[in-house]
Amino acid sequence: MKEEQIKELYQALEDSSFAVTITGAGISIAAGGVTYSGMRSHGARRGMMSQDPETMYQYFYQAFLSSMFEHGTTYAHKALARLEEMGKIQGIITTNVDCLHTMGGSKNVAEIQGSFQTNVCTGCRAWTYGYEIWNHGKMPTCEKCGSTLLPYNIYSHAGLLTSQLQKAQKWMRQADIILIIGANGSYTHTYWDYKKPDAKIIQINPGNTYFDRVADLNIREESDPVFEALMKME
């Protein structure tokens, strides 16, 4: 890892008046997590479509929820929460559905595809909030009608959540620093097109991504060691 890159990242956050972070699967994989696409490839789709709530829950837990609750957050998740608390990061935009930013302590998170804390009743379509309902060993049910609850991203077949998307777009209009962590694509017409032309873009990702050609600074590392080095400067 190049020390000068960490110093540049540190100074950029120091100078920023509104910094926004974009995260993808890469930040969670470091914790042993399973991505939503990975969950589907593990056969969880059959579980999603099952009429048996117990079978459905077992698929969810084995393919996704176990990593979410048992592995928990990474150092990077916790560092982002601390930087938010210090006033150096104003918001996080994520396509991750694992709630790890919230678990790590972040308050300003736009989960544009929903997550396991934004749930919809398959019967009366009422909304229920809170990821804790998925850690009780059984499929959660609606308090109003008793029907099965599904996280929004699965209920909607991974559609975008309007309220969260609007929040992401608002933040992008304000951001002078955009910090990209473990994300591969830009979701161009959803929020990326709303960024300010002069926003500085910093990417943390060990592999090649869409953002390589637009980033002002590319840090070719996993996120945890980068944030460990960064936080030592605070």
Side-chain angles (χ1 to χ4, degrees), residues 6 9 15 42 64 96 101 143 161 177 194 201 209 217 227 232:
I6 304 301
L9 170 60
D15 296 340
H42 275 69
F64 195 96
N96 296 342
H101 286 300
E143 291 184 355
L161 188 54
I177 294 291
Y194 291 80
I201 301 169
T209 75
L217 173 63
F227 280 98
K232 289 178 182 178

Side-chain angles (χ1 to χ4, degrees), residues 121-128 140-149:
C121 176
T122 56
C124 68
R125 299 186 180 181
W127 293 70
T128 299
T141 54
C142 178
E143 291 184 355
K144 293 184 177 180
C145 73
S147 297
T148 299
L149 295 176

Side-chain angles (χ1 to χ4, degrees), residues 28-29 32-39 42 62-64 67-68 98:
S28 296
I29 289 174
V34 179
T35 64
Y36 175 61
S37 59
M39 180 175 70
H42 275 69
Q62 292 171 17
F64 195 96
S67 64
M68 176 174 150
D98 53 24

Side-chain angles (χ1 to χ4, degrees), residues 94-105:
T94 188
T95 54
N96 296 342
V97 302
D98 53 24
C99 311
L100 293 184
H101 286 300
T102 300
M103 288 182 176

Side-chain angles (χ1 to χ4, degrees), residues 54-148:
E54 182 177 353
T55 300
M56 191 184 298
Y57 183 81
Q58 289 304 315
Y59 271 114
F60 278 138
Y61 201 87
Q62 292 171 17
F64 195 96
L65 294 171
S66 60
S67 64
M68 176 174 150
F69 289 115
E70 294 171 19
H71 291 280
T73 57
T74 66
Y75 185 94
H77 286 106
K78 295 172 185 176
L80 287 173
R82 176 59 181 149
L83 290 168
E84 178 187 88
E85 186 179 307
M86 297 166 66
K88 296 185 178 181
I89 287 179
Q90 281 63 50
I92 296 171
I93 302 169
T94 188
T95 54
N96 296 342
V97 302
D98 53 24
C99 311
L100 293 184
H101 286 300
T102 300
M103 288 182 176
S106 293
K107 306 297 183 186
N108 297 315
V109 184
E111 297 173 323
I112 64 171
Q113 288 185 339
S115 73
F116 278 87
Q117 64 181 348
T118 305
N119 306 289
V120 188
C121 176
T122 56
C124 68
R125 299 186 180 181
W127 293 70
T128 299
Y129 299 93
Y131 60 81
E132 299 88 351
I133 64 175
W134 290 97
N135 199 26
H136 298 314
K138 61 181 179 179
M139 200 73 183
T141 54
C142 178
E143 291 184 355
K144 293 184 177 180
C145 73
S147 297
T148 299

